[in-house]
Amino acid sequence: MVEGTGRCRTIGKLEREPMRLPDFALERFFARWEFRAEMLLCASDVEGWPMAELLALADEDSRRRWDGLRLGYTESPGLPDLRAEIASLYRGLSADDVLVFSGAEEAIFALHSVSLAAGDHAVVVRPAYQSLAEVARAAGAEVTRIDLRESAGWRLDVAELRAAVRPNTRLILVNEPHNPTGGLSDRATFDEIAQVAMEACARLVVDEVYRYLEFDPDDRLPAGAEMGGSNVAPGAAVAPGSAANARAGALPGVSIGVMSKSFAMAGLRIGWIATRDRELLARLAAFKDYTTICASGPSEILALMALRARETVLARNRAIVLGNVARLDDFFARQGGLFEWVRPRGGSIGFPRLLADYPIDRFCEELVTETGVLLAPGSVFAAAGNHFRLGFGRTNLPEALARLESFAARTFGG
Ligand SMILES: Cc1ncc(COP(=O)(O)O)c(C=O)c1O
C-alpha cells in the first residue's frame, strides 16, 4: 500500500510539462497580489460599476427580463438581443455577426484554436497581453513578434510588419488602444496595417477591449470587424482595380470586445467576437461547446442593460480615466527626474519607466509591501528595462499616487 501510494505521488508530480501553455506572467502576478494589495495602481479595468447603479439604468424591457430571469442554460451563441446590441457598436454588422464569450480571454482562446495550426504563422505585437501570442503558439503556429518601441512612441512600424509577413501568415494581431502602453495607431497607420493583412491574405484581428477610451474621440479607429471582406452589396458592379474590388478579396477582419474595460464591468465576464465571416463564427461556435457552452444568464441581461445605456456608462468611465490622466500629467511633470512616460493616447493603462538605477521588480515589491500600492513590473510583460504598468481607471488613484510619491522620495531622496 505504502509503496503504491509513493508510486502514485511520483506519477502525480507531473515532471513533464502538463500543457503547452506557459504560465501567464501577469495573471500569476495578480494571483499573488490582486486581492492582498490595498490599492491597485496597475489595474487595467475601470472602477467596477456598482450593481445597484446599473439596475437603476435599466430600460423597461431589460428590467422585466432581470426580474423574471430563470437560471437555466442560455442560448449558446449569446442572447439574441444582446448580440444585436453588440452588433450596433459596429458599422454594417448584425446580431448574426456576433458570438458572445465568457470574457475576451475565452474569445482569444477560441479564435486562435480554430484559426491556427502547425505550419501556420501569426504576427503579434510586443509587448502584449500574453495570451494573444501564447495561445497562438500553443495552437501550433509560429509567431513573429513586432516590437513596439518606447523611442518610437510605442508606435507600430508598418515596414517591420510588412517584412514579417510570410506566405503562411494567417493572422495579424494588433491591440488598439494597446495594453500595456496605451498606444494607439493613427488612422493612416491602421489603414496600412489592414492593407498588409489584405495583401498577405491574412486575417486582421484587433483586440479592442479598450475601445471607447480614446482620450480624443476623433482618434477612435474603425473596428477590426469593419475592415477587410466585402462591403459591397451582393450583385453590385465593382470596377476592376478599384479599392472596393481589392477589399472584396480580403478576409473579413475580427474585433475582440469585452464589458470589462471601457464598460467597467469585468465581473460580468461577457466578451465577444464580431466579424462578417460567418464560416469563422460557425467554427468558433462549435469550439465553444468544449469550453463554456453558453454565457452566464444574469450577466447577459446586465450586459444588455449596460449597452443600452452605453452613453451614460461610457461618460462616467471616460470621466474617471480623463480626470486621472490630468493628475498623472502633473505627477510626471513633478517627477520628471525619476519617472518618465510616453503619454498614452487611449485606454486605462500606460507603461512608464523608472529612471533610477534600481531594479523595477524590487521597487514594485518594496512599494506594495510598505505602502499597499501595487504596480506591475515590466517583467510580467517580458519587457526589458525599468518599465512598469500603471493603471488609471480607479477612483483611488490620487491616494495611491500620493503614496507612490512619498515612497519614491524616501527611497531615492528628494
Ligand atoms: C488586451 C487585452 N485583451 C484581453 C483581455 C482579457 O479581458 P477579460 O479579462 O475581460 O477576459 C485583457 C485583460 O486585461 C486585455 O488587456
Side-chain angles (χ1 to χ4, degrees), residues 18 173 183 346:
L173 211 146

Side-chain angles (χ1 to χ4, degrees), residues 6-18:
R7 187 170 158 271
C8 291
R9 284 228 181 89
T10 309
I11 292 170
K13 268 194 182 145
L14 271 180
E15 274 155 15
R16 295 170 290 111
E17 270 295 304

Side-chain angles (χ1 to χ4, degrees), residues 26-110:
L26 174 70
E27 299 301 343
R28 287 297 90 206
F29 176 79
F30 274 137
R32 180 169 173 220
W33 290 111
E34 186 174 1
F35 293 98
R36 272 173 64 199
E38 197 186 333
M39 295 182 174
L40 301 186
L41 192 52
C42 57
S44 59
D45 54 345
V46 178
E47 187 81 29
W49 195 277
M51 176 82 171
E53 286 181 32
L54 173 58
L55 289 175
L57 291 181
D59 62 295
E60 213 176 296
D61 169 67
S62 49
R63 182 71 219 203
R64 197 164 355 93
R65 292 174 195 244
W66 180 249
D67 291 339
L69 179 66
R70 280 175 186 269
L71 296 174
Y73 282 108
T74 61
E75 287 185 55
S76 181
L79 180 72
D81 284 342
L82 173 61
R83 289 161 64 214
E85 206 55 48
I86 293 168
S88 72
L89 298 170
Y90 305 96
R91 257 186 316 120
L93 267 68
S94 69
D96 288 342
D97 299 315
V98 173
L99 193 59
V100 173
F101 284 97
S102 296
E105 189 72 313
E106 189 195 17
I108 294 167
F109 194 78

Side-chain angles (χ1 to χ4, degrees), residues 44 103-105 108 129 175 179 207 209-210 258 260-261 269:
S44 59
E105 189 72 313
I108 294 167
Y129 190 64
N175 171 209
N179 175 10
D207 180 325
V209 302
Y210 302 97
V258 82
S260 308
K261 314 293 182 181
R269 309 309 299 130

Side-chain angles (χ1 to χ4, degrees), residues 317-337:
N317 301 344
R318 289 178 55 81
I320 294 174
V321 164
L322 293 174
N324 282 341
V325 169
R327 292 181 183 99
L328 285 166
D329 284 337
D330 291 345
F331 172 84
F332 284 107
R334 279 196 308 276
Q335 294 284 329

Side-chain angles (χ1 to χ4, degrees), residues 108 112 124 128-136 173-175 207 256:
I108 294 167
H112 287 358
V124 184
Y129 190 64
Q130 194 171 336
S131 53
L132 294 173
E134 223 56 80
V135 184
L173 211 146
V174 294
N175 171 209
D207 180 325
I256 298 171

